[in-house]
């Protein structure tokens, strides 16, 4: 398994990128440093946070070796903006999570929706694979802006 070494040069983050409502130190940081995820949802949230933080080493280490791509790089320009967990379930050593993640794509926004499968081996959850769909997000003028500013889309990125 790849190293799950901590990244000490990161600035302190009060709120976890996975949008659990917890501080990063209490949520995804322990998993990024090697603590096993207690559930498929916790692993999926920590993987989302790793994508936000551009932590390819964690994404690779949390991917099951049977389905992990050999060269794994993250797109440096990706800007992940939001995560919504729609459903999650675990049964024995198998689990799944259905989620939506919003990202900035060029001049607009996109939504990745995925139903991910997870497998627990030797007490550690791994991402196995998933069925996903990526589609453009076209917010209305009066909708909240997907960038997270709290402003209406027409007054922000629209």
């Amino acid at each position: 398994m790849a190293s799950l070494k901590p990244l000490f040069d990161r600035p302190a983050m009060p709120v976890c990128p996975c949008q659990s409502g917890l501080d990063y130190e209490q949520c995804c940081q322990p998993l990024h440093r090697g603590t096993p995820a207690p559930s498929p949802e916790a692993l999926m949230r920590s993987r989302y946070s790793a994508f936000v933080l551009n932590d390819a080493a964690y994404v690779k280490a949390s991917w099951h070796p049977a389905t992990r791509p050999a060269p794994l790089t993250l797109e440096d320009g990706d800007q992940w903006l939001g995560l919504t967990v729609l459903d999650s379930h675990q049964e024995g050593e198998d689990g799944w999570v259905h989620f939506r993640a919003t990202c900035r794509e060029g001049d607009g926004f996109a939504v990745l929706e995925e139903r991910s499968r997870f497998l627990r081996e030797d007490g550690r959850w791994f991402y196995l694979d998933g069925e996903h769909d990526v589609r453009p997000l076209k917010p209305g003028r009066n909708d909240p802006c997907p960038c997270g500013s709290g402003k209406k889309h027409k007054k922000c990125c629209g």
Side-chain angles (χ1 to χ4, degrees), residues 1 24 29 65 70 89 95-96 104 106:
M1 182 165 82
Y24 176 66
Q29 186 180 50
H89 183 75
W96 57 264
R104 187 174 291 278

Side-chain angles (χ1 to χ4, degrees), residues 48-59:
Y48 172 83
S49 290
F51 276 96
V52 170
L53 300 170
N54 206 24
D55 185 351
Y58 180 79
V59 171

Side-chain angles (χ1 to χ4, degrees), residues 22-71:
L22 299 172
D23 287 348
Y24 176 66
E25 292 177 344
Q26 300 166 336
C27 190
C28 290
Q29 186 180 50
L31 280 61
H32 291 168
R33 291 187 172 180
T35 301
S39 67
E41 182 176 335
L43 180 63
M44 190 282 308
R45 286 182 174 279
S46 70
R47 286 173 55 83
Y48 172 83
S49 290
F51 276 96
V52 170
L53 300 170
N54 206 24
D55 185 351
Y58 180 79
V59 171
K60 187 173 184 175
S62 62
W63 204 315
H64 194 275
T67 58
R68 178 188 309 144

Side-chain angles (χ1 to χ4, degrees), residues 13-126:
M13 251 183 266
V15 179
C16 193
C18 82
Q19 299 179 331
S20 64
L22 299 172
D23 287 348
Y24 176 66
E25 292 177 344
Q26 300 166 336
C27 190
C28 290
Q29 186 180 50
L31 280 61
H32 291 168
R33 291 187 172 180
T35 301
S39 67
E41 182 176 335
L43 180 63
M44 190 282 308
R45 286 182 174 279
S46 70
R47 286 173 55 83
Y48 172 83
S49 290
F51 276 96
V52 170
L53 300 170
N54 206 24
D55 185 351
Y58 180 79
V59 171
K60 187 173 184 175
S62 62
W63 204 315
H64 194 275
T67 58
R68 178 188 309 144
L72 178 71
T73 58
L74 301 182
E75 297 295 321
D76 201 21
D78 282 351
Q79 185 180 5
W80 294 97
L81 304 171
L83 174 68
T84 303
V85 176
L86 302 169
D87 201 4
S88 66
H89 183 75
Q90 70 182 67
E91 190 172 305
E93 306 301 301
D94 298 308
W96 57 264
V97 178
H98 182 195
F99 69 92
R100 281 190 198 119
T102 306
C103 69
R104 187 174 291 278
E105 184 175 73
D107 292 343
F109 302 94
V111 174
L112 163 70
E113 185 166 342
E114 182 170 306
R115 184 179 169 116
S116 304
R117 292 188 318 146
F118 296 85
L119 180 65
R120 183 170 47 197
E121 288 184 349
D122 300 323
R124 185 174 289 276
W125 285 102
F126 291 95

